[in-house]
Amino acid sequence: EDTGEYSCDTGDQESRAALHVKALPVLFQKQLKDEEAEEGAAVKFQCELTKDNAAVEWRKGTMELFPCAKYEIKLSGRRAELVIHNVEPEDA
């Protein structure tokens, strides 16, 4: 978001320059870990990213997950979290 044209103006003269910022890729600092739970429990998946508040998508297989009573999705700074409430065998 800092990319753009900047200028310095004295009133009589002006100097301009362009700034191009190359965004670094978002990487995982801490990966997801396998979990095991009993039916009816809540399970929490967490991962840590290299950038604050990066856009993330949670998926089960190819299906994208969205916040609802079953799935709680949080993003706080560099930590992304998915909580699955009341797990059932089909959640595996």
Side-chain angles (χ1 to χ4, degrees), residues 44-74:
K44 184 188 297 185
F45 289 104
Q46 290 181 328
C47 60
E48 193 170 313
L49 310 166
T50 55
K51 281 187 170 182
D52 288 341
N53 301 312
V56 298
E57 290 180 356
W58 286 96
R59 296 183 179 276
K60 180 185 182 230
T62 59
M63 183 180 73
E64 186 173 356
L65 305 177
F66 296 96
C68 62
K70 178 89 171 166
Y71 302 115
E72 184 179 347
I73 296 174
K74 299 178 186 175

Side-chain angles (χ1 to χ4, degrees), residues 14-67:
E14 183 178 56
S15 180
R16 293 177 179 264
L19 172 63
H20 301 281
V21 179
K22 293 180 184 177
L24 295 173
V26 177
L27 304 172
F28 291 100
Q29 282 190 313
K30 290 185 182 174
Q31 302 278 336
L32 293 175
K33 294 181 182 177
D34 292 342
E35 296 289 341
E36 202 170 292
E38 291 188 16
E39 189 172 1
V43 174
K44 184 188 297 185
F45 289 104
Q46 290 181 328
C47 60
E48 193 170 313
L49 310 166
T50 55
K51 281 187 170 182
D52 288 341
N53 301 312
V56 298
E57 290 180 356
W58 286 96
R59 296 183 179 276
K60 180 185 182 230
T62 59
M63 183 180 73
E64 186 173 356
L65 305 177
F66 296 96

Side-chain angles (χ1 to χ4, degrees), residues 59-91:
R59 296 183 179 276
K60 180 185 182 230
T62 59
M63 183 180 73
E64 186 173 356
L65 305 177
F66 296 96
C68 62
K70 178 89 171 166
Y71 302 115
E72 184 179 347
I73 296 174
K74 299 178 186 175
L75 181 61
S76 178
R78 295 179 179 203
R79 179 171 296 182
E81 184 176 286
L82 169 67
V83 179
I84 306 171
H85 295 282
N86 193 27
V87 294
E88 302 169 286
E90 53 270 15
D91 292 319

